[in-house]
Structure formats: structure tokens, C-alpha cells
Amino acid sequence: MTAFVKQPDLSAGALHVWQRNRDVLLQLWKSEFVAQLLEPPFVIFALGLGLGKFVELDNGQDYVAFLAPGLLAMFPMFTAVFECAWNSYLRLDQGTYRAILATPASIDDIITGEILWGATRSTVNAAYILLVAALLTPWLGMVDSPWAILCVPVAVIPGIFFSAMSILFASVAKAMSQFGYFFNLVINPMFWFGGAFFPTDSLPAWGRVVAWCIPLTHATALYRGFITGELEWSMAGDFAWLVVATGITYLAALWSMRRRLTE
Amino acid sequence: MTENAVEAQGLVKRYGPFTAVDGIGFAVREGECFGFLGPNGAGKSTTIKMISCLSPVSWGTLRVAGLDPRTDARRIKSQLGVVPQEDNLDEDLPVRKNLEVYARYYGLSKAVADTRIDDALALFQLTEKAASKIGDLSGGMKRRLVIARSLVSEPRILVLDEPTTGLDPQARHNVWQKLRLLKARGVTMILTTHYMDEAAHLCDRLVIMHRGTILTEGNPHALIGQHAGNEVLELRMEPEERAPLLGELGAIAGVTVEEVEDLVYVYGAGQRARDLALGISDPGRAFLRPGNLEDVFLRLTGRGLLD
């Protein structure tokens, strides 16, 4: 049994693993980037303007403006999940990790590099969505405050969280087909109940408890505060929630991958 | 005094209740090629994985380049080149990029890495394939690339797990030739194989493993002389001829006879055995050949299928 709480064995190897993933992306950027660039504007138009016409919020806010922080939380979550669940499992399965392990890099280096990479893509994605929302603001009124820029550095934390959670799942998956469970039982409920599409305080008491347990809820709440400029003390709680959950999930991912990769 | 490149005493690897390596000891000298031979499941690959710090030692002592894999894995790995059994090239990157990314894991500067990569690609005749996708390479090219990759760190010790399994004869001979070249440059090599001709071609010394233990150790020629003799006679004959001839052959000093279904092997055959063999009713069924490592291997590990 390997110890759960153990000082991570880290070196420059983690950076080299991150660089490996960057190099791969630079080879494939054409096919990788296009879909990611188009999807957020599509969703803003379809949900924000299309569906938004039929939605009236208690506080009189436009639905499209309500939606913006949700998108800022949701799309980067999917980016991290695709990178660190599917792609990491592929690298595990095709022997890439074992090849790297024969070099001075450690298991902790590899997993940390992967998570940092997932977090990087996730954060870049968040920055892009913020940019789109800001550019559309003269027409759609999505971004109300310069505090919104804080969404970008803060996005690193959920980026790490969702990457670590995905690696954790990849470390116990026996086959690619099992990712259906992860997606349907973990990611999808977060997507729908994480406060992106409707205010969670409209839920019954038990629903609010469920929503509080969902990491996406806290990311959405933080972004909502920054984008509207209505900063509240509860945001410190949301931030602390994310930091603690991220630390635990990171250690769990390291521990589980050590078990998976140690022969 | 030069220290040994690798030293093991009472080395054990357990997976739950299963003991894969059962208290082996060996020493690999600096600059030699040392082989681990054995059937599937003998514990060769497990031993190699412990040496390359990929699999933790369960018990016993192991020193690689004078260091302990339990505490100094990074420093050991920086001095090793590892060629695994499976071609685990990075399918997402083209040929040259594979080596560039790999060199970075060793912390090599771009300039140093570029020179070494050019050399390695040239040595393994892959220069023209530098921009190719991994998926477009033949089996032999992939294998050569894996070996080339293991050289970019200029390892002091090269660890090869079945380096030529699955290659056609041309590619095998090509790989052997490169490995001999590396050995001439002073690289210590440790290899596992179940090809006896490969071991005979490359190894200065070898051990034969079976069920996690070492059965014998020595240089290939000495082992052949000791366990098979210089000449081996293979005979197929009618059952009625068999018993009297076997009696006569077995009586010759230094000769051992082994019956395997319809074949009779006569180890350590000399003039007298040859004369007797020519007396069988169909001399065309007698075949004389030099003893080889395969004889040693089969005599020590038995002829039954092991998996």
C-alpha cells in the first residue's frame, strides 16, 4: 500500500511533460482549435439570445448576462476533462507514460505535468470565453465590471481540479468504454446542476445541498461575482472550497497513478 | 578497482503471493554484454525492470552504477538507456520530434540534443524518416528508433528487453550489428532474449533463468561445452533399432543421450558415436551439428511448454 499523503516527488520533469503536450498540440493545432473557437459564440447566441427571450430572472438580469459566468465555468471544465480523462488514458494505454518513466522523470512528474497541461488549456479556454463575452458586451451586456479579468487567474484552480479529477478516473479505468460512466455520472450532473443555467437558490433545500457539493457551483459563483462586480464575502468561501478540493484531488490522483504505474 | 555496473544479491520480486524473481545474485561488469536467457515467465523482464527502476525491489540488494534504486532512481535512470519489450514510441509525434522530446526529459540542452539526435538517426539509418509519422514506420524501423531513442542520453548502461523479438532476419542482423558497435564504444549492455543465436552473437556472459531462479552462469562457449558438448547428433530411427543403439551410445564416456518423442539427441558426440550412427538402416535420418545454446537451454529448462 503506498501512502496517500506523501511529499510529491517533483522535478523539472513535470515541465518537460507539459512541454511534450504543448508540442503535440502545436502539431495538431488546426484541427484542435477550430471547434473550440466556434462553440462558445454558438452557445451564447443559441441559449443566450434564443432561449433567453423566454426567460425572466427575479433580479431583472438578462438571461444571456446570467449565462456568461456559467459558460466561463463549464467550457473550461470540458476542456480539462477531455485532456486529462480521454487523452491521458490514451497516453497511459499506448505506453507513453512508461516510456517517460524510463527517463529521470518520476510518476509524480508525469501526472503533475499532465494536470498542469489540462489546467493550462482550461485557463486559455476561460480567457477566450471572457474575451468573446467582453467583445459582445456593447450589444449583449454580458460583462459589467473590470473585476472580470480576475476570472482568468482564478480559472487555474478549477482547471487543476477538473484535470486531477479526470486523471484520477483515468487511473482506475480498465477500458475506454468506462469513460461513459465518468461522463454520465460525474460530469453531466455537474454540467446541469452547477449553477450555470439557473440560479441554484431557486432549488429546494436538498437541491441546494447537492449544488454546494458540486465544484462547478463554486467556480460559477466566483466568476459571477467578478463579472457583475458584486463582490461578496461568500466568494472567499467558494475560493477556499475550490482550493481545498483541488489539493485533495491532486494528492488522490498522484496516489492512484502511483498504484497504477508501479509494477 | 572498477566497480561493477550492476550487482544483485538475494534479489526478490513478489507480486502478492506470486514470486517472480526468487533470490537471484549476479554481477554485470563495466563494458560487457550480459544476457538473461530463459523461457517466458522466467523472471528476466522483471529483473530488467528492477534494474531500470520501473519496478520496486521486494527484497535483497541491488546496485546499479553503484546506486540503490530505492533511493536514487533519478540518478540511476539518468545513466541508463532503456529499450522496452514493446515499442512505446510517442505516436502523437513524428520521428525526430520523438527524440527531441525524449532528450528533454534528460534535461539536455537543445544544441547537445540536436547533435546526438542527428548521430543516432544516422547510425540507425533513419535520417530520411525524420519527419515521418510513427504509424508509417515498419516494425524494424520502429525497433531501430526505440534503440536510437535510448542512446540520446549517452547512457553508461544500455538495458534491452528482447531487442529483436518480432523482427525479420535482415532487421535482426542489422540491430545486432549496431549493438556490437555500441559495445565496442564501451557501453555496458544488459539484455534479455529467448533467441539463443542472439545471446551467442552478443553476450560475453549470460545467465539462464527458470521460474525466478538462475540455473547457470558463464560465457556462451563454456556453457555449450559444459552442457551440450561441441557436437550434437540428432537421430530418427525405427523403434526396433533404437534400444540396442541407445545402449551402445550411452556407454561411450562423455556422451549423454536424450530421447524426445521420435528424436534422439546425442550430446558430446565424437568419432565413435558418429560411426555408430552411420550404421542405422537409413543414415539420411542422422544429422550431426555443432552444439549450441539452445541445447543448453532446453537441457536445463526442460522441453515442456511453459505457458
Side-chain angles (χ1 to χ4, degrees):
Chain A
M1 225 16 217
T2 43
F4 180 79
V5 180
K6 185 183 150 212
Q7 171 94 22
D9 176 17
L10 295 177
S11 74
L15 172 67
H16 298 145
V17 170
W18 184 93
Q19 288 172 315
R20 178 253 171 225
N21 291 334
R22 179 205 58 194
D23 290 352
V24 172
L25 180 72
L26 292 177
Q27 311 262 338
L28 308 167
W29 64 274
K30 286 174 200 149
S31 53
E32 287 268 339
F33 275 138
V34 176
Q36 285 209 358
L37 291 181
L38 292 180
E39 208 172 357
F42 284 172
V43 174
I44 289 173
F45 286 117
L47 287 185
L49 297 183
L51 181 68
K53 284 258 183 294
F54 305 94
V55 180
E56 205 170 303
L57 292 166
D58 292 342
N59 62 1
Q61 193 184 22
D62 273 348
Y63 186 63
V64 68
F66 174 82
L67 197 62
L71 299 181
L72 207 49
M74 187 191 81
F75 278 113
M77 170 180 83
F78 282 117
T79 307
V81 168
F82 277 109
E83 198 53 49
C84 285
W86 274 261
N87 288 349
S88 293
Y89 184 79
L90 274 178
R91 294 194 270 271
L92 177 68
D93 201 43
Q94 72 191 14
T96 311
Y97 289 169
R98 281 189 204 291
I100 302 174
L101 263 184
T103 76
S106 67
I107 294 175
D108 292 1
D109 285 333
I110 296 174
I111 301 314
T112 305
E114 291 279 86
I115 290 172
L116 289 178
W117 174 247
T120 305
R121 289 206 67 180
S122 183
T123 306
V124 168
N125 189 254
Y128 170 70
I129 293 165
L130 185 64
L131 179 72
V132 171
L135 290 176
L136 293 173
T137 291
W139 298 276
L140 301 179
M142 295 167 86
V143 179
D144 298 331
S145 160
W147 286 110
I149 195 70
L150 282 182
C151 292
V152 177
V154 167
V156 174
I157 308 287
I160 293 175
F161 175 85
F162 290 116
S163 300
M165 190 179 74
S166 305
I167 289 254
L168 181 61
F169 188 81
S171 72
V172 293
K174 297 272 185 281
M176 205 65 162
S177 55
Q178 292 184 344
F179 281 91
Y181 290 105
F182 178 59
F183 203 80
N184 291 318
L185 297 178
V186 180
I187 300 300
N188 247 347
M190 275 207 235
F191 170 71
W192 290 114
F193 298 105
F197 298 109
F198 53 85
T200 49
D201 42 13
S202 63
L203 290 169
W206 65 266
R208 271 174 277 155
V209 172
V210 171
W212 186 85
C213 296
I214 294 176
L216 199 68
T217 309
H218 302 280
T220 311
L222 279 172
Y223 299 153
R224 180 153 286 135
F226 292 137
I227 285 185
T228 57
E230 292 164 19
L231 305 184
E232 286 170 38
W233 281 109
S234 66
M235 288 168 64
D238 291 314
F239 187 72
W241 194 107
L242 283 171
V243 169
V244 171
T246 300
I248 293 170
T249 313
Y250 171 63
L251 291 177
L254 288 184
W255 170 76
S256 186
M257 264 300 176
R258 281 185 212 124
R259 282 169 47 107
R260 176 79 183 242
L261 283 168
T262 302
E263 291 183 53
Chain B
M1 196 197 95
T2 53
E3 66 184 5
N4 287 318
V6 181
E7 258 180 32
Q9 279 145 28
L11 186 61
V12 174
K13 179 70 195 188
R14 288 208 183 89
Y15 295 105
F18 174 68
T19 303
V21 173
D22 195 2
I24 62 171
F26 58 88
V28 180
R29 296 173 197 143
E30 201 76 54
E32 76 174 342
C33 178
F34 189 89
F36 287 90
L37 269 66
N40 291 335
K44 318 180 289 288
S45 291
T46 307
T47 306
I48 286 266
K49 281 180 182 154
M50 286 192 277
I51 294 172
S52 15
C53 308
L54 294 173
S55 179
V57 171
S58 303
W59 200 254
T61 56
L62 179 64
R63 286 278 177 286
V64 185
L67 302 166
D68 184 345
R70 274 177 273 229
T71 52
D72 268 321
R74 275 186 211 275
R75 280 170 70 200
I76 292 174
K77 291 197 291 181
S78 69
Q79 301 180 59
L80 294 186
V82 177
V83 177
Q85 218 174 97
E86 319 289 335
D87 291 330
N88 55 13
L89 293 161
D90 199 327
E91 308 266 346
D92 298 329
L93 296 163
V95 169
R96 194 171 206 288
K97 200 77 196 167
N98 250 275
L99 304 193
E100 288 173 14
V101 166
Y102 207 73
R104 203 156 51 201
Y105 299 134
Y106 288 89
L108 300 181
S109 73
K110 180 98 172 75
V112 171
D114 277 342
T115 320
R116 290 189 190 172
I117 289 167
D118 290 339
D119 291 348
L121 288 177
L123 179 65
F124 287 91
Q125 288 146 342
L126 291 163
T127 307
E128 278 149 39
K129 295 283 170 190
S132 300
K133 287 182 186 166
I134 299 302
D136 294 340
L137 300 182
S138 70
M141 286 178 194
K142 281 187 192 165
R143 207 66 195 141
R144 266 147 52 203
L145 184 57
V146 173
I147 302 176
R149 185 183 67 178
S150 74
L151 297 179
V152 295
S153 61
E154 291 198 337
R156 181 174 152 195
I157 305 168
L158 190 57
V159 181
L160 306 122
D161 197 358
E162 301 194 9
T164 65
T165 296
L167 296 188
D168 64 27
Q170 283 83 354
R172 286 178 70 199
H173 281 271
N174 183 285
V175 167
W176 289 349
Q177 194 207 338
K178 303 302 179 207
L179 293 178
R180 280 197 299 268
L181 195 74
L182 292 172
K183 189 170 160 316
R185 291 183 186 174
V187 179
T188 305
M189 290 199 277
I190 301 170
L191 70 96
T192 76
T193 183
H194 43 229
Y195 293 131
M196 300 305 131
D197 47 347
E198 181 160 292
H201 257 89
L202 297 173
C203 295
D204 301 306
R205 288 191 310 132
L206 53 86
V207 293
I208 294 182
M209 288 189 74
H210 190 38
R211 298 175 202 271
T213 61
I214 289 177
L215 299 179
T216 189
E217 178 188 334
N219 84 48
H221 296 292
L223 288 175
I224 293 165
Q226 188 185 340
H227 295 280
N230 291 325
E231 286 186 352
V232 178
L233 198 53
E234 291 180 14
L235 300 169
R236 275 186 300 135
M237 57 195 153
E238 303 305 323
E240 57 270 22
E241 288 184 287
R242 201 160 173 150
L245 184 63
L246 292 190
E248 285 188 77
L249 285 168
I252 308 170
V255 167
T256 25
V257 178
E258 189 183 358
E259 286 181 86
V260 182
E261 303 195 9
D262 67 329
L263 262 173
V264 175
Y265 293 91
V266 184
Y267 298 105
Q271 190 62 47
R272 171 97 184 99
R274 266 180 264 152
D275 292 342
L276 282 170
L278 284 173
I280 62 174
S281 58
D282 180 0
R285 295 166 124 188
F287 178 60
L288 182 71
R289 59 172 176 78
N292 60 33
L293 266 183
E294 192 143 325
D295 299 315
V296 180
F297 185 89
L298 289 171
R299 293 202 71 193
L300 290 173
T301 61
R303 290 178 184 271
L305 287 178
L306 293 157
D307 59 1

